[in-house]
Amino acid sequence: MDYRQKPRNWLSKGYIIMTKNENMIQTALIPKPKHLSIKNLVIEVGRNCNLNCIHCLRGNANTSGMTNEIVDKIFENVSYVQSLTITGGEPFLYPETMLYIANTIEKKKIDLGSFFIATNGTVKSEKTLLAIIKLYS
């Protein structure tokens, strides 16, 4: 099958790896793993923050955040995460994303060893509390 004619079929069956060597492009179809075990997973849900700390390593704040589609892709085929870190900007400014991550882990029955949320602790909402409870249980 020529990948240029039916790329969607190829992508649904695996990952396409392309390498370029001396004016020639080689392709290979690598099958998607059925179950992934991840030792350390760090998710930056967005860069927006309610503070302006001089020691912050994240750079300039902006309002863009992670979409549900990206969360779905991250957890595709994942069965185990030893350690999950959720960070930002300020992750609690993204309660819908936090809750979506927790619901995805619960829905897909992903075994979660531990989690850590890097927060400044100044933002509180019921959705983030619910997300923390779901991740904890």
Side-chain angles (χ1 to χ4, degrees):
M1 179 185 302
D2 184 357
Y3 77 93
R4 290 169 291 191
Q5 293 175 359
K6 305 229 183 215
R8 290 178 191 223
N9 290 343
W10 274 57
L11 289 174
S12 67
K13 294 176 185 173
Y15 302 105
I16 294 178
I17 306 300
M18 299 181 83
T19 58
K20 185 176 180 181
N21 295 335
E22 297 180 24
N23 300 328
M24 187 169 80
I25 296 176
Q26 298 175 333
T27 60
L29 179 65
I30 309 298
K32 289 182 182 176
K34 294 189 191 291
H35 300 285
L36 289 174
S37 292
I38 300 173
K39 186 172 182 176
N40 296 304
L41 176 60
V42 179
I43 298 176
E44 182 181 90
V45 293
R47 292 241 169 146
N48 196 17
C49 187
N50 59 324
L51 300 179
N52 191 19
C53 303
I54 60 172
H55 63 273
C56 184
L57 302 173
R58 293 291 164 213
N60 296 332
N62 64 45
T63 57
S64 63
M66 183 174 286
T67 64
N68 291 348
E69 291 80 19
I70 293 173
V71 173
D72 290 337
K73 273 297 194 193
I74 289 171
F75 289 107
E76 185 178 52
N77 300 321
V78 173
S79 60
Y80 174 73
V81 176
Q82 181 178 335
S83 175
L84 171 65
T85 301
I86 300 173
T87 184
E90 172 51 50
F92 286 2
L93 291 174
Y94 300 90
E96 292 82 15
T97 305
M98 298 273 297
L99 191 55
Y100 191 81
I101 289 169
N103 286 337
T104 301
I105 290 170
E106 181 181 58
K107 180 177 75 175
K108 291 178 153 273
K109 297 179 180 163
I110 296 170
D111 188 15
L112 180 62
S114 65
F115 71 94
F116 172 77
I117 302 170
T119 176
N120 60 35
T122 62
V123 179
K124 299 163 192 76
S125 79
E126 286 185 32
K127 285 183 181 178
T128 53
L129 179 60
L130 183 57
I132 291 170
I133 291 169
K134 284 184 176 230
L135 289 171
Y136 187 73
S137 52

